[in-house]
């Protein structure tokens, strides 16, 4: 079967060894690795359509055009947020073959060793940095930058020993031309004594760097789960069947042994492109990879979740798991945008139809030009005011466990987060640079945020709190999977987060006022926020509430933790109370790490595949 021919419903078996729900960042990884075993057959069901040949996915620079478009995005929005003065935020989630990896902004960013070792500390044996770093390497191939790009972007930190060399996902830097701000970025942080300390892939880096992107080094096409893990060769495997436009409505659960309290996932009910409802049986296992917002919803509709909540919707609980849909975590970014000098070239140039057409022609010809680049860069850093006595005072004032009604799971997480805040080797903030304006006040739709509707040209710098204490939730609103879940992102529910994030936001002014970045901004030019170099902490916190945007890293809603800590899956990713139902997506992340999570989620897929393959019966019936 061709990778583009996936919506057909002909010749479906009634039963498959493994049924995977969700063809995104982890689902395709698991399906690929399982079908490396010729005696195993796999059916993968993806609710979205197959857009592998669509330029809005292939062209890295067109990612934003897919947001808030139901052909690509589940178009989920939050409930009005008390911590954001009632604002509603959009949370783009990929609804297409490749999932969110097919529509995100493509930055290749990595967590810290401490982040991942914390997962094992929470009771998840085998989920250490040593294990997960190998899975990250397994998932990707880095093409090192040319000598000229190394010099332009101050790239002197790459350690070949920690990089992937043969994985499906292609990681590269491109050949430019890069905006002037990209070269200024690492030099500005050097001025601030924040020079990068090592290869971020090593898990111990601190400081600013120009990160690569998930872009093929030759074609300059986006490299994502759909194109990399379901390529022409993989699609020809007779033991893999991928069906797109297949919406799974319910998991079928049965108690098959009166002596064993655990239930068995026998299959799923789904509706295909033709509108016909079908039932497919899973002989060995059912694997959920529908994402951190849709997987909990599907569990609840199927009878797994908080019993009281399910009964309100007329659903008789089969497994009572209060953790389903809870522990929701997300990074948020706060953008400041400054008008640039007249000689600076920014993405606003693409507002001119002639220039936009020329850029597209360059990409189509040989992948060159701005559309084939990921020109967003990153830094891990802690502002001086969040070190030493200052952070101790904030912890003393705002983290009083005796005053909080904490679950055992949160108590365990908060102990780890508190330790990380005190560790000066663990940066509290992440900062991104983008050569374009960002206008959160024109949201909640993402095209409003990134629509470049303000006149003049801008560079933007954004502030992110690496490890928030706040937790949100996501739950069903009806028994219809097509209804968006009730999604509470939970920003600033914990009082310490606004204090921390406000100080990160205030430091944006310091970055902008530091050479050589300062020389790129127009003296007296426009600001797209009510800020100034001497901004107070009160004003910074106000702007943080008014301008924060979801960073599209939602996770934690089906957490991998012991059941007594309100976990949903064990360290083998099996749902508690089931014999053969696993979750393999970002929902299993127990505690959010620093940075953009895409690279880590690919690694979760690889780790999950190893766990499942280890349990494959030696002789399959197919």
């Amino acid at each position: 079967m061709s990778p583009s021919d996936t919506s057909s419903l002909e010749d479906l078996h009634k039963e498959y060894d493994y049924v995977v729900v969700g063809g995104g960042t982890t689902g395709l990884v698991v399906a690929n690795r399982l079908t490396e075993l010729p005696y195993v057959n796999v059916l993968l069901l993806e609710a979205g359509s197959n857009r592998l040949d669509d330029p809005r996915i292939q062209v890295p620079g067109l990612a934003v055009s897919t947001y808030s478009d139901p052909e690509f995005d589940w178009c989920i929005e939050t409930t009005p947020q008390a911590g954001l003065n009632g604002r509603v935020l959009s949370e783009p989630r990929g609804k297409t073959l490749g999932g969110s990896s097919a529509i995100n902004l493509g930055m290749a960013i990595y967590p810290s060793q401490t982040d991942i070792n914390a997962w094992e500390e929470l009771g998840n044996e085998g989920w250490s940095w040593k294990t997960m770093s190998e899975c990250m390497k397994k998932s990707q191939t880095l093409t090192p930058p040319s000598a000229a790009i190394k010099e332009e972007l101050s790239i002197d930190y790459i350690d070949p020993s920690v990089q992937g060399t043969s994985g499906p996902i292609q990681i590269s830097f491109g050949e430019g031309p890069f905006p002037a701000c990209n070269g200024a970025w690492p030099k500005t942080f050097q001025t601030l004594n924040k020079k990068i300390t090592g290869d971020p892939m090593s898990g111990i880096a601190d400081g600013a760097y120009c990160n690569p992107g998930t872009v093929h080094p030759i074609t300059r096409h986006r490299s994502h789960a759909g194109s990399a893990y379901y390529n022409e060769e993989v699609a020809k495997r007779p033991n893999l069947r991928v069906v797109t436009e297949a919406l799974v409505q319910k998991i079928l659960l049965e108690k098959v042994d009166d002596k064993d309290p655990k239930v068995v996932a026998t299959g799923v009910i789904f509706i295909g492109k033709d509108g016909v409802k079908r039932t497919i049986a899973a002989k060995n296992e059912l694997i959920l990879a529908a994402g951190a917002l849709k997987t909990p919803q599907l569990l609840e509709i199927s009878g797994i979740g908080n019993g009281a909540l399910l009964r309100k919707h007329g659903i008789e609980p089969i497994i009572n798991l209060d953790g389903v849909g809870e522990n929701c975590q997300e990074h948020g970014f706060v953008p400041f945008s400054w008008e640039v000098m007249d000689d600076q070239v920014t993405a606003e140039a693409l507002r001119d139809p002639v220039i936009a057409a020329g850029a597209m022609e360059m990409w189509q010809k040989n992948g060159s030009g701005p559309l084939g680049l990921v020109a967003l860069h990153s830094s891990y850093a802690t502002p001086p005011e969040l070190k030493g006595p200052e952070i101790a005072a904030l912890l003393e004032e705002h983290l009083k466990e005796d005053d909080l009604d904490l679950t055992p799971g949160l108590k365990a997480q908060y102990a780890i987060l508190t330790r990380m805040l005190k560790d000066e080797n663990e940066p509290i903030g992440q900062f991104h640079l983008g050569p374009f304006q960002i206008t959160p006040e024109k949201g909640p739709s993402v095209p409003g945020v990134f629509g470049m509707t303000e006149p003049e040209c801008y560079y933007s710098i954004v502030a992110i709190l690496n490890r928030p204490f706040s937790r949100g939730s996501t739950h069903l609103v009806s028994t219809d999977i097509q209804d968006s879940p009730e999604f509470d992102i939970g920003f600033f529910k914990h009082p310490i987060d606004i204090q921390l994030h406000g100080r990160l936001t205030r430091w944006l002014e310091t970055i902008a006022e530091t050479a050589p970045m300062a020389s790129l901004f127009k003296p007296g030019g426009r600001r797209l926020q009510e800020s100034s170099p001497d901004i107070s902490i009160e004003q910074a916190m106000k702007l943080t509430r008014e301008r924060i945007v979801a960073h599209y890293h939602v996770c934690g809603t089906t957490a991998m933790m012991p059941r007594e800590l309100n976990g949903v899956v064990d360290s083998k990713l099996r749902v508690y109370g089931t014999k053969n139902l696993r979750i393999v997506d970002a929902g299993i992340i127990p505690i959010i790490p620093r940075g953009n999570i895409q690279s880590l989620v690919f690694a979760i897929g690889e780790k999950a595949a190893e766990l499942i393959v280890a349990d494959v019966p030696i002789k399959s019936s197919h």
Side-chain angles (χ1 to χ4, degrees):
M1 181 177 288
S2 165
S4 61
D5 180 22
T6 55
S7 62
S8 172
L9 294 158
E10 294 183 4
D11 302 322
L12 277 178
H13 301 320
K14 292 183 179 180
E15 179 183 78
Y16 289 81
D17 295 324
Y18 296 86
V19 176
V20 180
V21 179
T25 313
T26 56
L28 283 166
V29 177
V30 170
N32 175 306
R33 298 306 189 187
L34 269 174
T35 53
E36 290 177 341
L37 303 176
Y39 52 85
V40 168
N41 74 359
V42 174
L43 171 67
L44 182 145
L45 300 171
E46 163 58 39
S49 59
N50 184 336
R51 298 293 185 125
L52 293 178
D53 298 328
D54 194 308
R56 286 170 288 180
I57 287 177
Q58 290 182 332
V59 181
L62 295 184
V64 173
S65 69
T66 65
Y67 298 162
S68 301
D69 183 339
E71 293 297 319
F72 300 89
D73 180 6
W74 283 99
C75 301
I76 293 173
E77 294 185 346
T78 70
T79 56
Q81 295 294 294
L84 310 184
N85 305 320
R87 292 174 60 216
V88 170
L89 303 182
S90 288
E91 183 71 62
R93 299 286 85 197
K95 186 184 179 184
T96 187
L97 200 60
S100 293
S101 73
I103 69 169
N104 65 24
L105 297 179
M107 300 175 73
I109 306 287
Y110 308 107
S112 77
Q113 294 188 16
T114 304
D115 284 324
I116 307 307
N117 287 331
W119 296 8
E120 193 164 54
E121 185 180 341
L122 283 169
N124 300 304
E125 183 180 357
W127 290 81
S128 65
W129 171 261
K130 181 179 179 181
T131 298
M132 294 307 292
S133 62
E134 289 302 313
C135 289
M136 279 194 285
K137 288 171 64 176
K138 184 178 181 180
S139 72
Q140 63 185 45
T141 295
L142 173 73
T143 297
S146 66
I149 295 302
K150 282 184 178 180
E151 181 176 359
E152 179 181 355
L153 301 181
S154 302
I155 299 172
D156 60 359
Y157 50 80
I158 295 177
D159 178 358
S161 70
V162 301
Q163 295 291 340
T165 58
S166 59
I169 298 296
Q170 298 297 312
I171 307 292
S172 67
F173 289 85
E175 295 297 326
F178 287 94
C181 61
N182 289 172
W185 180 249
K187 293 181 176 67
T188 297
F189 278 81
Q190 288 178 35
T191 306
L192 292 166
N193 297 315
K194 303 285 184 183
K195 177 178 169 54
I196 190 71
T197 59
D199 191 328
M201 184 70 159
S202 71
I204 54 174
D206 186 0
Y209 60 104
C210 293
N211 52 268
T214 49
V215 181
H216 194 284
I218 298 173
T219 66
R220 309 307 301 163
H221 285 208
R222 173 196 291 273
S223 183
H224 62 96
S227 62
Y229 282 92
Y230 187 65
N231 56 31
E232 291 278 355
E233 182 179 348
V234 174
K236 292 177 182 177
R237 292 177 185 171
N239 57 336
L240 174 60
R241 180 68 184 274
V242 171
V243 180
T244 52
E245 300 177 69
L247 181 65
V248 174
Q249 293 189 307
K250 189 177 182 180
I251 304 163
L252 299 175
L253 301 165
E254 290 184 11
K255 187 176 180 182
V256 297
D257 185 346
D258 290 339
K259 297 180 181 180
D260 189 339
K262 292 184 178 179
V263 302
V264 174
T266 60
V268 296
I269 299 172
F270 80 95
I271 295 179
K273 185 179 180 180
D274 59 3
V276 175
K277 186 179 294 187
R278 291 174 172 82
T279 299
I280 296 288
K283 180 184 179 185
N284 294 343
E285 292 192 21
L286 182 62
I287 299 160
L288 298 184
L293 295 182
K294 298 301 287 187
T295 287
Q297 183 185 13
L298 183 57
L299 287 173
E300 290 176 334
I301 288 173
S302 305
I304 300 177
N306 179 292
L309 174 65
L310 300 190
R311 289 189 179 94
K312 286 182 180 179
H313 293 278
I315 300 169
E316 186 59 32
I318 297 173
I319 302 173
N320 194 73
L321 272 182
D322 289 348
V324 172
E326 295 295 314
N327 196 50
C328 182
Q329 298 159 69
E330 167 68 300
H331 293 133
F333 70 85
V334 179
F336 279 12
S337 303
W338 295 266
E339 186 181 353
V340 299
M341 299 286 281
D342 292 337
D343 62 347
Q344 297 299 301
V345 179
T346 72
E348 278 87 4
L350 297 173
R351 293 182 297 200
D352 184 329
V354 175
I355 294 176
M360 188 64 185
E361 184 178 350
M362 292 173 67
W363 181 86
Q364 290 172 329
K365 183 178 180 180
N366 55 19
S368 63
L371 295 181
L373 295 173
V374 174
L376 302 165
H377 297 305
S378 187
S379 172
Y380 293 124
T382 299
E385 67 176 307
L386 283 177
K387 290 189 174 182
E390 291 82 358
I391 193 66
L394 286 174
L395 286 168
E396 175 66 24
E397 181 178 359
H398 298 287
L399 193 66
K400 300 176 181 179
E401 292 194 15
D402 292 342
D403 297 336
L404 300 173
D405 183 20
L406 295 179
T407 65
L410 272 182
K411 285 183 180 178
Q413 291 181 46
Y414 282 6
I416 291 170
L417 290 174
T418 301
R419 188 179 69 230
M420 288 188 193
L421 276 179
K422 294 177 179 178
D423 184 351
E424 293 201 359
N425 293 317
E426 282 299 323
I428 293 173
Q430 183 185 22
F431 300 87
H432 290 323
L433 169 72
F436 47 79
Q437 62 183 269
I438 306 176
T439 52
E441 66 277 9
K442 298 185 179 182
S445 73
V446 184
V449 176
F450 293 107
M452 298 191 295
T453 53
E454 287 294 313
E456 312 306 338
C457 300
Y458 302 84
Y459 291 148
S460 296
I461 308 175
V462 311
I464 303 124
L465 176 60
N466 279 332
R467 303 175 186 95
F469 282 72
S470 298
R471 298 293 183 264
S473 63
T474 180
H475 292 292
L476 81 170
V477 296
S478 74
T479 57
D480 187 346
I481 194 69
Q482 296 189 73
D483 291 338
S484 287
E486 183 177 67
F487 172 41
D488 176 8
I489 203 168
F491 282 162
F492 306 131
K493 281 191 172 182
H494 194 290
I496 199 168
D497 285 351
I498 188 62
Q499 296 288 335
L500 296 170
H501 211 141
R503 286 162 172 80
L504 298 173
T505 298
R506 182 160 69 170
W507 208 55
L508 293 175
E509 287 289 347
T510 299
I511 299 171
E513 289 287 308
T514 301
M517 187 66 68
S519 66
L520 304 179
F521 296 124
K522 180 179 289 187
R526 288 192 69 198
R527 294 165 176 258
L528 299 185
Q529 65 283 332
E530 296 177 0
S531 66
S532 63
D534 59 350
I535 184 174
S536 68
I537 184 59
E538 290 75 20
Q539 178 66 2
M541 289 193 293
K542 178 177 181 290
L543 287 172
T544 297
R545 293 187 192 276
E546 292 173 353
R547 298 184 65 79
I548 195 168
V549 177
H551 208 358
Y552 324 140
H553 302 163
V554 64
C555 61
T557 53
T558 52
M560 177 179 58
M561 290 191 296
R563 194 168 186 175
E564 59 269 24
L565 296 185
N566 222 27
V568 174
V569 300
D570 63 19
S571 60
K572 302 293 185 183
L573 304 183
R574 289 195 180 93
V575 176
Y576 289 114
T578 74
K579 297 183 73 170
N580 67 333
L581 178 62
R582 299 202 214 211
I583 300 174
V584 302
D585 56 43
I588 67 100
I589 294 175
I591 187 168
I592 195 168
R594 74 180 190 183
N596 308 48
I597 67 172
Q598 175 185 229
S599 298
L600 181 59
V601 176
F602 277 124
I604 290 170
E606 292 283 6
K607 171 71 172 176
E610 292 176 2
L611 293 171
I612 297 166
V613 166
D615 289 337
V616 171
I618 298 300
K619 292 183 179 180
S620 173
S621 63
H622 299 283

